[in-house]
Amino acid sequence: MEHALILGASGLVGGHCLKFLLQNDTFGHVTALVRRDIPENTLSVHPKLTWLPFDFKDPAAYETLPATDAVFCCLGQPLNRLHRHRELLEVDCHYPLRVARRAASTGARHFAIVTSSGISRYSPLFYCRVKARVERELAELPFTSLHLFQPSLLLGERSDPHPLQAWWGRVLTPAAPWFRGPLGRFRPVAAEAVGFAMVHTALRPEPGVGRIPSHQIQELFARHAHETESLRGTSFAREP
Ligand SMILES: NC(=O)c1ccc[n+]([C@@H]2O[C@H](COP(=O)([O-])OP(=O)(O)OC[C@H]3O[C@@H](n4cnc5c(N)ncnc54)[C@H](OP(=O)(O)O)[C@@H]3O)[C@@H](O)[C@H]2O)c1
């Protein structure tokens, strides 16, 4: 049985990813790094799960991380703070890379991370350049398999939705005709589908670097949706 490490389990995608990790028998133990205390409630308790309070800002803390087989990174600066470039660089690039370096050096074989669609080192948007950078630097680490999930707009229930996100969600519906063909990679996708795809593709990962765009995440989820039926309505994300 494998040991999984998850970052960002209190977030939207991370909550779903955690749910699928706990459900899957391949993973016998799941450690979730969190920066705040987890309130004691039935949703945050599971025999396979250890919540590990962690100071992401302390470089020395990374040396204390347990050895794991696979890492699932769903960290991200909230939408309403994307203009804080220094924080964004820390949360979306430096923190994942520090965890990844430690994991690679202690024997982890697989690393999965949520980045974004439309990213490029030449993008005028800082966010897109940061996401491209984290992908590039992760690809240099000696994981057997690295999966880069590149969703477009994430759909799902948020306790504190950003007004722009809610508006985009209404305008950019996944069924819109312009999201066919090459533009499929910009199709909005359910956060649950991303969490599912991260776990599902980790069970028998292809060696090397795999990029999984929005439409492929959705297709994968649709093909295997029946596997998730028993889990609907369950969430292990932290309550607000
Ligand atoms: N929103 C979109 O439409 C969209 C589209 C494409 C890609 N993405 C990317 O998808 C990923 C997941 O997005 P999401 O919407 O699921 O994110 P989310 O719900 O905002 O969750 C973000 C997670 O990161 C953690 N985090 C944030 N700032 C942190 C900090 N300074 N130190 C430690 N942990 C921190 C949060 O922990 P706390 O609970 O402690 O705050 C939370 O667990 C992100 O990388 C995002 O950039 C998002």
Side-chain angles (χ1 to χ4, degrees):
M1 291 238 257
E2 304 220 336
H3 184 174
L5 180 71
I6 177 167
L7 290 73
S10 56
L12 184 60
V13 173
H16 288 296
C17 184
L18 176 62
K19 171 181 76 181
F20 293 120
L21 282 172
L22 294 176
Q23 184 249 350
N24 200 287
D25 292 339
T26 302
F27 298 98
H29 190 186
V30 180
T31 299
L33 296 192
V34 276
R35 59 175 170 158
R36 300 185 193 128
D37 289 339
I38 295 296
E40 296 270 330
N41 63 44
T42 50
L43 297 183
S44 59
V45 177
H46 190 284
K48 273 169 44 171
L49 174 62
T50 305
W51 292 102
L52 185 61
F54 189 75
D55 182 1
F56 287 89
K57 290 184 181 156
D58 176 9
Y62 295 82
E63 298 307 313
T64 68
L65 287 176
T68 53
D69 301 290
V71 182
F72 298 83
C73 180
C74 311
L75 281 185
Q77 177 86 333
L79 205 59
N80 60 359
R81 293 164 78 98
L82 292 189
H83 60 285
R84 300 191 183 195
H85 286 187
R86 188 179 297 199
E87 270 180 40
L88 171 60
L89 187 62
E90 286 289 293
V91 177
D92 289 63
C93 186
H94 292 165
Y95 296 169
L97 283 172
R98 284 189 197 133
V99 171
R101 289 192 188 109
R102 165 74 182 171
S105 72
T106 52
R109 292 183 303 278
H110 180 71
F111 195 96
I113 185 169
V114 190
T115 60
S116 178
S117 60
I119 62 176
S120 156
R121 70 197 303 172
Y122 305 109
S123 172
L125 300 177
F126 185 75
Y127 173 85
C128 294
R129 295 201 300 277
V130 167
K131 294 290 198 187
R133 176 172 162 189
V134 74
E135 285 200 352
R136 222 167 40 244
E137 296 197 21
L138 284 171
E140 289 168 8
L141 296 176
F143 293 111
T144 307
S145 50
L146 169 68
H147 288 175
L148 307 165
F149 290 84
Q150 301 179 323
S152 180
L153 179 69
L154 290 172
L155 306 174
E157 294 289 319
R158 289 184 192 272
S159 53
D160 53 346
H162 188 281
L164 264 182
Q165 207 151 22
W167 183 80
W168 285 335
R170 281 196 299 276
V171 176
L172 302 177
T173 65
W178 51 81
F179 292 126
R180 304 230 172 92
L183 292 184
R185 63 184 56 247
F186 298 109
R187 194 167 93 177
V189 61
E192 183 176 28
V194 183
F196 176 82
M198 291 177 87
V199 177
H200 185 82
T201 56
L203 300 179
R204 277 175 295 277
E206 298 266 325
V209 180
R211 289 188 169 74
I212 304 102
S214 240
H215 58 301
Q216 283 181 13
I217 296 171
Q218 189 57 50
E219 283 159 18
L220 208 144
F221 185 58
R223 263 205 312 279
H224 298 276
H226 59 280
E227 296 169 23
T228 72
E229 282 309 311
S230 59
L231 294 164
R232 294 214 179 267
T234 317
S235 172
F236 292 91
R238 181 151 24 124
E239 288 191 328

